[in-house]
Structures are given as C-alpha cells and as structure tokens.
Amino acid sequence: MAEGYRDWMLTTAEFTALLQELYHANYVLVRQRDCFKTHPDGSMSLAVPALPPGKKPLIMSFDDVNYYTYMQNSGFANKLVINQDQELAAEVFTPSGRPVITTAGDCLPILEQFIKKHPDFSYQNARGLIAVTGFEGILGYRIAPDNDRSNTLEAETAALTKVVDWLKQKGWEFACHSYTHNSSWFQTAEPPLERIIYDTDKWKRIIEPLIGKTDTYIAPFGSFFGPDNPCHRYIIEAGFKYYCIVDKSKKIIFYKNHLIISRFNIDGFNFRNNQYVFEANYGDLSKIIDNKRIPAYKPYARNRKNFLAHADFFLNAPTIYVWGGLGLELTTKCLLDLASEYPEYYTPEKQAAYAPYLDKNYLGCDCSGLIKNFLMGGVRHFVRDNTYDYNSRGLFDHAAVKGDISSLPELGGLCLYMQGHVGIYIGNGEVIESTNNPSFGNGVVKTRLSARPWEKWFQCPHVSYED
Ligand SMILES: [Zn+2]
C-alpha cells in the first residue's frame, strides 16, 4: 500500500471487521443531532438518547466521500450507485478495467449491509455523516463547474440525485467538508479570511442545493482556528453549529451558539500511533488489521505513551474505586470474587454500598489496580498475571529509577508514591489516580500534584521510558 493510502484509509476487509468489533463492544449508531439539545437562546447542551441497557452511543462520519480523480486506478471505488435491488452499492473497476457494481466495494454500502443483518446496530435508523468537498463533485459525480465530464451535467445531476435521495431516506446525513480542501488555506495558523469566505460560499452555492441544508461542518484536516478567529466566526455564521475537529480526546466544547466536537480518526495512522486508545475504546485490532498492511498487528508495547493513554482512558470512562479491583467491569460476580478473596474488608455493608454500581459498565480499581491493569494487558487484552500483582509499596520498591518528589522530572507517565497510595503523573502539575476521597471524588480522577503530600516519584516497573 502506498504511504498516504496506508495512513488515511482502511481496506474494505478492515472496515467490515471494524463494524463487527464495534457491534461486539455494544456500540449503537446514533445521529449527532439526536445527542444535543438547542435551547431558545441558541445555546446547546448534551442530551444523549436513552439506549437499551449496556449499549453505548457511536457517531460515525466519513470524510471526503467524493471519489477524487487522483484515487482512480488505485483499487478504490469509483462512485456510489443504487443497484438493481434498490440497494446502495459502489461501482468498482476490476484490475482489467471492467466496472462492477458491488455492495462490498466501499464503506457506506458495507455499513448498509451490516445494518440489514444487525438492525439493532442503528438507533432509530441512524446512519452516518457523509462529509463532502465540492471541487470534484460529490459521491463520484462530476457536477462541479470545472470538472471534465463524459456525461452531460443534467444526466450526472439526475444520477446523483437518485443516490442522495436514497441515502437521506435511509437516515444518512450530509456535512460540509469545505469546497476546496485547500491545505494552504485550512492547514495554517493564519487562514486568509477572503479565501475561507470564497470556499464556504462556493460550497453553499454549488453543493448545498444538491444535498439540502446542513448545519454540520467537518473541518478539512480537522482544522480549528479558535473560537474568536474571523474565519471560524464566518463559518459558524454561515449556518454551521456542529463544528467537528479531529482529536483523540472525547471532548465537546460548548460556545454561545455552536459547539466543537472531537472525532477519533479510525485509520492506519491511529492503528499504528494510537493503538492503545483504539483498542481500549473500540475493539481488538488483531481482528481488524488486514495482512496487506505493513507493519501488521503487534500487541501494544508497555511504554510511557501507552501508559498515559491508559490513564486517560480510565479518566474518561465510568469508574468507581474498588479496593483490590484490577480495573475490570464491576459485575455482581466480580464483587463476589473480591469478597471471597478479601472477606475481612468486604463486609456485607461494604458490599451493599456497591449495589447501585453493579453490572452498569463501571470499571473498578484501587490506586495500584489502575496501574496493574495496564501491566496485565490493559482493558482490551487483560489477563490476570500475579507477576504484576504489586501493591503501591511494591510498585515503588520494584522501580529501577526513582527519586524524591522535589526532584520530579517534568515527564508524563511517571508514578507518584506516598504512604499507601500511588498515582500517575501526566505532566503540567496534574495527576491521574484512583481514589475515594470526599475532596477528590470516587473512581479514577484528575488531581493537582500539589493537592497531596506526594513523597516520591518512580518509573513504573515493566514500562519503557525510552522514547
Ligand atoms: Zn478531508
């Protein structure tokens, strides 16, 4: 695979396997707009729909569903079509150059087929967001003013309209991905306002009439200029109140009349660089990665970067402090196991206190359990292994590199120790730790380094700090 394709694309086999993993992980597709409420004053707030028990909401978006000419003759689909059975399909060229219409030829038709088999993967017919630019037309139809086309504009537009209508009727939604996707305008700290105006207006003039009004802007390159930048303000005032960026955090920022939503890009780049984050959230990469991809799947390394990703995952997941817990889901069985392992600690009163949290997907750990979970394979590949079963003191004692807190290096991923307690330093004076403490909260929380009398720092045993 060529480098760009390897980083920014999935193979059809990978996308198919990805859907299976997401389904196994209890994700359900929801519409982005169904997760937010707009108030009379224009402000917005989170309002995620109530899903069946155990199910998790997932918003999927697809960028650049344009079938650019540069991708032709490289094994990509050529356009989206509706086949004889009135199903969504892709036109793909065989290596000998013969066009075939197939429902297995690209992500959107593959997702349609998956939902046909697993209707419960979609909440109230939600599909995904289709983000399109304009300069080469959309969905493989060359309807832009400057495009070379073999068909007439009327024929091309009619064929496109048929696909657009089909998609919208099924529950797909469209988003603006800029008209030009021009890197020198969008991938810069100082975007030229007149260019952004030209780009936004052109998309609204040429593309919007074909797909209908949309209030969702999926920024090219995930660019975000800042809320006060005139270019950003122009885009918002053009009618976009969902502004989507690319970021591996799950953050959503609410402004007066719009919001910024982070998206995690599922592609070869993140398979390689953010494997821990991917696996903790979405599924087992070893079941997804296509063996055409080089390098192929390797279990994640116990290194500083993944250790930080692990801490961050727990910080953002629903967690509760469980003494002796190893970061697994707090099920009724898990609590009974702990109670038989530690009968003196887990009195009937203590067990009863956990009742509201049982079987509700809470991850339970104590301070050292947060770290031991990582050493034993992390949330995705956890295997109980007593080699790594240290308490907080044991972690500190086994560390090869350590020092007094006064000499703490400014390096995220180091561990902190005080009598009976351990935490993970993440840099900038902040710590992620599991605790149950009236001033810090219950579960995995972020605290200030200065908030506790930490005594020592150390490199976590079995974790590599060479990067
Ligand atoms: Zn793009």
Side-chain angles (χ1 to χ4, degrees):
M1 271 189 264
E3 195 180 322
Y5 294 156
R6 194 172 68 208
D7 274 1
W8 311 123
M9 308 288 174
L10 299 185
T11 67
T12 51
E14 285 175 333
F15 186 71
T16 306
L18 169 71
L19 293 179
Q20 199 64 52
E21 284 295 288
L22 292 171
Y23 186 63
H24 274 304
N26 281 321
Y27 280 105
V28 176
L29 288 179
V30 295
R31 276 181 199 82
Q32 184 159 280
R33 70 182 61 263
D34 288 346
C35 297
F36 298 94
K37 208 167 126 184
T38 304
H39 303 281
D41 67 354
S43 66
M44 298 164 81
S45 59
L46 201 59
V48 179
L51 299 173
K55 297 289 183 184
K56 294 179 278 188
L58 178 72
I59 299 163
M60 250 193 183
S61 58
F62 299 83
D63 291 12
D64 300 276
V65 190
N66 297 85
Y67 301 94
Y68 296 125
T69 47
Y70 84 85
M71 292 155 70
Q72 285 170 351
N73 309 318
S74 311
F76 288 97
N78 191 45
K79 59 163 77 162
L80 290 176
V81 296
I82 306 302
N83 71 11
Q84 294 168 344
D85 304 325
Q86 297 305 306
E87 290 184 312
L88 185 66
E91 180 188 82
V92 184
F93 284 97
T94 64
S96 63
R98 194 170 54 85
V100 252
I101 305 292
T102 164
T103 56
D106 204 7
C107 296
L108 276 62
I110 291 171
L111 181 57
E112 275 301 331
Q113 293 299 317
F114 191 84
I115 293 173
K116 202 170 142 190
K117 238 167 93 190
H118 307 283
D120 59 331
F121 186 55
S122 158
Y123 173 76
Q124 295 188 344
N125 291 321
R127 296 296 195 267
L129 281 162
I130 302 172
V132 290
T133 62
F135 66 102
E136 288 202 311
I138 64 170
L139 312 185
Y141 296 85
R142 309 284 168 227
I143 45 71
D146 309 317
N147 294 162
D148 281 344
R149 51 178 91 83
S150 42
N151 295 327
T152 65
L153 180 59
E154 292 72 40
E156 199 75 343
T157 307
L160 169 64
T161 305
K162 189 175 158 198
V163 183
V164 168
D165 289 347
W166 191 100
L167 289 166
K168 286 166 78 169
Q169 192 253 326
K170 278 285 177 180
W172 291 90
E173 297 188 286
F174 284 88
C176 174
H177 193 46
S178 83
Y179 187 85
T180 60
H181 212 296
N182 184 313
S183 60
S184 55
W185 304 350
F186 284 95
Q187 234 180 352
T188 164
E190 297 279 324
L193 179 59
E194 72 286 356
R195 295 295 176 193
I196 303 299
I197 293 174
Y198 162 85
D199 181 282
T200 309
D201 290 359
K202 196 161 184 185
W203 192 90
K204 286 188 79 79
R205 186 160 45 84
I206 293 168
I207 303 304
E208 200 171 65
L210 296 164
I211 56 160
K213 253 191 146 22
T214 174
D215 50 12
T216 305
Y217 193 89
I218 294 190
F221 311 102
S223 304
F224 177 46
F225 310 127
D228 299 323
N229 185 287
C231 296
H232 181 73
R233 289 215 309 267
Y234 188 83
I235 292 167
I236 300 306
E237 278 154 25
F240 298 106
K241 62 180 184 180
Y242 298 92
Y243 188 101
C244 308
I245 60 168
V246 177
D247 191 284
K248 66 181 181 228
S249 77
K250 293 178 185 166
K251 79 177 171 232
I252 302 169
I253 310 171
F254 293 92
Y255 293 107
K256 210 174 67 201
N257 56 354
H258 70 286
L259 48 85
I260 308 289
I261 305 171
S262 320
R263 300 176 306 146
F264 182 79
N265 41 318
I266 292 184
D267 56 22
F269 178 84
N270 272 341
F271 286 174
R272 205 169 63 248
N273 294 300
N274 288 305
Q275 182 181 353
Y276 191 89
V277 181
F278 178 89
E279 295 204 309
N281 285 291
Y282 305 114
D284 189 342
L285 214 44
S286 69
K287 301 206 173 103
I288 296 174
I289 285 199
D290 199 315
N291 56 16
K292 289 190 198 72
R293 192 179 282 284
I294 302 165
Y297 179 82
K298 274 204 296 276
Y300 78 91
R302 280 197 204 94
N303 60 29
R304 187 181 76 85
K305 201 180 85 180
N306 284 332
F307 192 35
L308 279 169
H310 166 85
D312 192 63
F313 172 80
F314 270 82
L315 180 66
N316 289 298
T319 56
I320 180 162
Y321 184 86
V322 173
W323 192 80
L326 291 170
L328 306 178
E329 277 186 21
L330 184 63
T331 57
T332 305
K333 178 177 182 309
C334 172
L335 186 64
L336 290 174
D337 288 349
L338 282 163
S340 69
E341 200 174 345
Y342 309 108
E344 276 163 34
Y345 181 87
Y346 281 101
T347 59
E349 300 78 62
K350 275 226 171 74
Q351 290 185 52
Y354 282 109
Y357 304 98
L358 292 177
D359 306 307
K360 295 211 167 80
N361 302 326
Y362 279 87
L363 301 176
C365 60
D366 58 15
C367 65
S368 59
L370 171 62
I371 294 168
K372 286 187 279 196
N373 182 285
F374 180 72
L375 299 180
M376 295 184 193
V379 289
R380 176 63 48 187
H381 302 286
F382 184 89
V383 179
R384 177 139 194 183
D385 181 345
N386 291 336
T387 329
Y388 305 111
D389 202 0
Y390 308 105
N391 59 17
S392 54
R393 180 77 212 186
L395 283 164
F396 177 71
D397 286 345
H398 283 82
V401 182
K402 54 183 113 178
D404 273 334
I405 197 69
S406 58
S407 66
L408 172 69
E410 180 52 31
L411 181 69
L414 291 171
C415 291
L416 303 175
Y417 175 77
M418 59 191 260
Q419 169 101 51
H421 190 52
V422 68
I424 304 167
Y425 183 60
I426 58 167
N428 292 317
E430 292 182 321
V431 181
I432 292 178
E433 54 171 300
S434 181
T435 183
N436 184 7
N437 177 309
S439 33
F440 303 125
N442 184 353
V444 176
V445 295
K446 185 149 84 176
T447 55
R448 298 294 308 166
L449 174 66
S450 53
R452 284 191 188 272
W454 294 109
E455 295 158 18
K456 308 278 185 190
W457 64 267
F458 63 95
Q459 288 188 356
C460 186
H462 312 286
V463 172
S464 159
Y465 287 79
E466 282 160 28
D467 58 7

